[in-house]
Amino acid sequence: MKILVTGGTGYIGSHTCIQLIQAGYTPVIVDNLCNSKISVLPRIKRIAGHEITFIQADVRNKEAMVDILQGHDIDAVIHFAGLKAVGESVEHPLEYFDDNIHGTLTLIDAMREAMIKRLIFSSSATVYGDPASVPITEDFPTSATNPYGRSKLIVEECLTDFQKANPDWSITLLRYFNPVGSHPSGLLGEDPQGIPNNLMPFVAQVAVGRREFVSIFGNDYPTQDGTGVRDYIHVMDLADGHIAALQHVGPKAGLHVYNLGTGNGYSVLDMIHAFEKACGKTIPHQFASRRSGDIAECWADPSKAKQDLKWSAKRNLEEMTADAWRWQSTNPQGYPED
Ligand code: NAD
Ligand code: UDP
């Protein structure tokens, strides 16, 4: 089966391509390279053992998307392409709505024209807003606290309406918790441009000497040590979740919604200490004030995915931090330019 992977040279997309190949699928990548580098491709080839088809294109270009979908005999689409930085979305909401909402609508329009009716969409735990309790199940109320979150929520709602009107489509919304870690080879990993927004790439850059210390945003939350608690999931487990979705609900018409998380919550201090163990160094850190829009704690109830998709996260905190460190220490500046 041929799977179009939009955003396939990005962090989660590149790891998913490896797992797709392992599972016997043929991924075809479309990416406009606005947040990834072409030098990811030879790395994927090294791990997979063969070349992978890559087309540089923008998902907002409908004609190009129809040509690609038809020209490559695509059976299903995994749609990762989009913008993901919360702070940037507050400053540039229009760009986020255009890429994430208009991009997805253009893609499904192109799929409709090419008569391809299976889609897996990258959603996020951000659609739960500030949840009333934890763990979070898929039927919790949804809300948005920033333009990035709103773009995910609006797309979820558009896809829900679209699927209702087109009941023979299979659309799966995967709500990711906090992806971390890297491919165990150390060849693929997370390579944020500029100052990392997310905790783990920031910690990794401190460990490798690119930054001085980690600022911990808040130590007065009602959590076990006062720092924020999240459900960190190894990116390889997340990638496997897409294969499970393709296999178990891809062939079934309907709107399918799943949390992809581990069901465990770790605090910022837990993560820093785990990373210290992995890299054998002390990670300097300082307490700072809370980051606006942050919530105290957020972790998944992943039992629906376990039951329907026969999937659960397998890799523990040690593997997350060891793999992240392998990537960061062997690629201190991230991927080469070309
Ligand atoms: P990423 O930025 O590494 O990958 C996204 C890729 O999409 C990049 O390679 C970028 O060049 C490409 N892209 C962006 N706009 C495009 C467009 N219009 N046309 C074609 N390509 C385009 O991000 P990621 O961490 O791999 O995230 C993948 C998806 O998962 C995103 O939709 C993101 O919102 C979602 N998600 C990510 C996280 C996270 O913490 N990483 C959490 C929840 C959800
Ligand atoms: N965090 C932090 N310092 C940083 C980045 C993040 O203390 O430099 C905290 C943040 O407040 C949250 C947790 O780490 O409690 C995870 O943040 P991240 O941005 O990685 O994910 P998200 O907030 O989207 O869940």
Side-chain angles (χ1 to χ4, degrees), residues 41-105:
L41 293 171
R43 306 276 184 109
I44 295 178
K45 182 179 172 188
R46 243 174 96 184
I47 299 168
H50 60 84
E51 202 87 49
I52 181 165
T53 307
F54 168 73
I55 304 132
Q56 185 169 352
D58 194 299
V59 294
R60 290 165 292 188
N61 180 343
K62 186 184 161 194
E63 256 175 44
M65 294 311 295
V66 173
D67 282 354
I68 293 164
L69 290 162
Q70 289 176 335
H72 290 272
D73 278 329
I74 298 297
D75 298 289
V77 177
I78 308 182
H79 180 38
F80 293 106
L83 304 177
K84 63 167 182 176
V86 172
E88 192 183 63
S89 81
V90 175
E91 280 170 38
H92 304 287
L94 216 54
E95 280 76 1
Y96 271 68
F97 298 148
D98 186 49
D99 202 333
N100 295 1
I101 304 173
H102 173 209
T104 307
L105 299 185

Side-chain angles (χ1 to χ4, degrees), residues 178 197-199 202 214-217 228 230 232 268 291 294:
N178 291 55
N197 300 297
N198 295 113
L199 176 67
F202 202 105
V214 180
S215 293
I216 299 180
F217 301 144
R230 296 290 184 274
Y232 296 92
V268 176
R291 183 171 64 179
D294 269 0

Side-chain angles (χ1 to χ4, degrees), residues 6-14 30-37 57-60 79-84 99-100 103 121-125 148 152 174-179 190 198 238:
T6 76
T9 45
Y11 174 45
I12 307 170
S14 56
V30 165
D31 201 298
N32 68 359
L33 299 177
C34 72
N35 198 38
S36 54
K37 298 201 183 108
D58 194 299
V59 294
R60 290 165 292 188
H79 180 38
F80 293 106
L83 304 177
K84 63 167 182 176
D99 202 333
N100 295 1
F121 173 66
S122 295
S123 190
S124 164
Y148 167 71
K152 291 291 173 190
L174 297 181
R175 294 174 176 163
Y176 311 155
F177 281 67
N178 291 55
E190 189 170 10
N198 295 113
L238 197 63

Side-chain angles (χ1 to χ4, degrees), residues 274-291:
F275 208 93
E276 285 179 329
K277 260 195 198 160
C279 69
K281 303 180 187 193
T282 302
I283 310 277
H285 53 269
Q286 290 182 5
F287 293 117
S289 47
R290 291 182 181 191
R291 183 171 64 179

Side-chain angles (χ1 to χ4, degrees), residues 118-137:
R118 288 185 200 180
L119 173 72
I120 295 179
F121 173 66
S122 295
S123 190
S124 164
T126 189
V127 300
Y128 295 115
D130 191 353
S133 61
V134 276
I136 300 168
T137 52

